[in-house]
Structures are given as C-alpha cells and as structure tokens.
Amino acid sequence: IADLRNSQISSIKDYVYVVGYYGAGTPGGGLFYRDTTSTEADNNGTIIVDGNGVRWKRANVHEEYYASWFGVSTHLDDNSPLIQNALNVMPSGSILIFGPGIYKCKQTIKIPDLYGDQLKYITIQGSSKLPGDVFGYRTRLQYTGPNPSYLMPFIDFRGSTGNKTFLGAIRNIMFYGLGKDSNIVGLWFYKCVGSLFDSVFVQSFKHGIQIDYHYYYSKFNDVLCAYCDYGLK
C-alpha cells in the first residue's frame, strides 16, 4: 500500500494489483482501479491517493470489509487506531471481518454514531466458529494498554453521548483483557435492540459484557464469559 501511495503510475494503466498491505504475501492486498473523477480522501484501506493525486479504489467492495485492508495485523503492537479507522470508513450495514490470530490493542475502540440515538449497524466477525480453547486459530482482539483508575471500555458501544443504541451483531470472536482485577470492561453497551451475540468468548475483564439499559429482542447464543469479576452485568 505504501508503494501504491508513493507511486506515479502512467495514465494508461487502469488497474494495479497490490501483493500485500505490508509486503508480498501479507494480508490486505488486492486489485485497485483508477478513478479519475473522484476527489475522496485517502482512507488507508479502500481508497489510496498516489503521488499524482489519483484515486485508486479497491475493487469489488460491497458489504464485507476485511480488517487487513486497513493494515490491521497480528504483528503490530497496537491495532486500535487501524480498527477505529475501518469502523469509521465502513457504511452502516457492513461486516468487519478479522482473520485468525491475536490482534493487540492499547486503546478504546468506539462504534461510530449513525444518526439520532443510533449507532452504525455493524457486524464484527471473526474468521470462523471454533471452540474457545483453540487460541491459536480463533480470532482474538486483546487489550494490552494501561489499566486506568476508573472503569473504561475496550470496545465502546455507547456512542458519543453515552446513551446510543446498538443494532448489530458480534460473532465468532474472542475478546481478552488484563484480568478480573483490572478496570477494563470488555464490551460496554447502553442499549441493544435486535442484536446478535453468537459464538462470543469474553475473558479477563472487570466486567466481560456490561449493558446499562435494555437489550430488547437480542439473541445470545454460545456466549462464554470467563475469569471476569462480572461475566455479564
């Protein structure tokens, strides 16, 4: 991606193939096409602006977005700003898909606002539905940042005003924290409506899942909270 951003590709070329986000063989590569009419900003994932100011757009982008498109990688010490950028860029109704492995994060990740009291309709999805003890192959988002002196969410589903509603899904993924004596809340919601929690494993948080208000019409299937002071609060 850095090579594409720094390039000055001939105007006779309409397509380029990126072999990997960080280099050949790494995830996040793919086909990009030239869009001469676009003035959109570089978003580090689906739109890249080259050295000539030309917009290159990732081909075949629909409702499924891959975290690797935005540079999210198991080799990084802090994926949280990259995940946040992906969530900000994705349209409502989309799915953010993570590959297998451990993705370290040092900051709170916030689900963006949509309008009114609603958050974006987002699905966060791991690579596959596997037993919770298959650590090496299951997708794991792991908080590795500081332990604050007050309760703080790892993934914040409350919106900018702290009282917005989540209508989305979380499936096939594990969230891992600093331990039950920490002040980190794994998944913190204000209200859920029609939300799906499917094959979700939350471990080593003060509160694994916290919902402050109601969870109308929501479904909890194969949800495991382990080694938390409160599993579900």
Side-chain angles (χ1 to χ4, degrees):
I1 290 294
D3 291 342
L4 176 59
R5 182 174 287 117
N6 294 326
S7 67
Q8 294 181 324
I9 298 172
S10 167
S11 60
I12 65 172
K13 302 292 185 182
D14 291 326
Y15 297 92
V16 296
Y17 190 84
V18 174
V19 295
Y21 199 97
Y22 294 104
T26 63
L31 185 67
F32 287 75
Y33 66 92
R34 179 193 298 271
D35 188 343
T36 57
T37 63
S38 173
T39 58
E40 296 168 272
D42 189 319
N43 66 17
N44 297 305
T46 59
I47 303 171
I48 304 299
V49 181
D50 72 11
N52 289 325
V54 173
R55 272 65 178 171
W56 293 90
K57 294 186 175 181
R58 193 177 289 271
N60 300 316
V61 175
H62 301 293
E63 70 279 1
E64 294 185 343
Y65 287 70
Y66 289 85
S68 61
W69 290 355
F70 297 88
V72 176
S73 174
T74 56
H75 83 279
L76 299 178
D77 288 332
D78 186 10
N79 282 285
S80 45
L82 305 178
I83 297 172
Q84 186 67 66
N85 177 56
L87 291 169
N88 292 343
V89 166
M90 294 166 51
S92 190
S94 301
I95 305 170
L96 182 60
I97 301 173
F98 293 83
I102 299 171
Y103 298 89
K104 297 177 182 178
C105 301
K106 294 184 177 181
Q107 305 169 52
T108 293
I109 297 166
K110 297 177 179 289
I111 305 302
D113 296 354
L114 181 58
Y115 57 79
D117 67 345
Q118 307 295 320
L119 296 174
K120 271 187 179 180
Y121 307 146
I122 292 291
T123 294
I124 299 174
Q125 180 174 306
S127 58
S128 60
K129 188 170 185 174
L130 292 169
D133 57 353
V134 186
F135 292 114
Y137 300 93
R138 186 164 186 160
T139 301
R140 187 203 304 188
L141 300 189
Q142 181 163 339
Y143 179 80
T144 58
N147 181 26
S149 58
Y150 52 91
L151 283 182
M152 185 188 86
F154 176 24
I155 314 294
D156 192 346
F157 295 84
R158 299 172 300 165
S160 61
T161 57
N163 62 352
K164 295 189 181 295
T165 302
F166 177 68
L167 299 91
I170 306 170
R171 58 192 184 209
N172 307 342
I173 194 165
M174 178 181 186
F175 302 91
Y176 199 96
L178 299 178
K180 63 181 181 180
D181 296 323
S182 72
N183 284 313
I184 304 297
V185 177
L187 312 177
W188 197 339
F189 303 83
Y190 175 71
K191 182 170 72 171
C192 303
V193 175
S195 297
L196 172 65
F197 301 78
D198 183 34
S199 190
V200 177
F201 188 6
V202 185
Q203 180 171 334
S204 297
F205 291 99
K206 181 69 174 179
H207 306 156
I209 300 173
Q210 178 168 329
I211 304 173
D212 294 335
Y213 194 47
H214 294 297
Y215 47 101
Y216 293 120
Y217 316 118
S218 295
K219 296 181 181 180
F220 297 81
N221 178 53
D222 186 24
V223 175
L224 173 62
C225 298
Y227 199 67
C228 297
D229 198 20
Y230 287 85
L232 175 62
K233 184 175 182 180

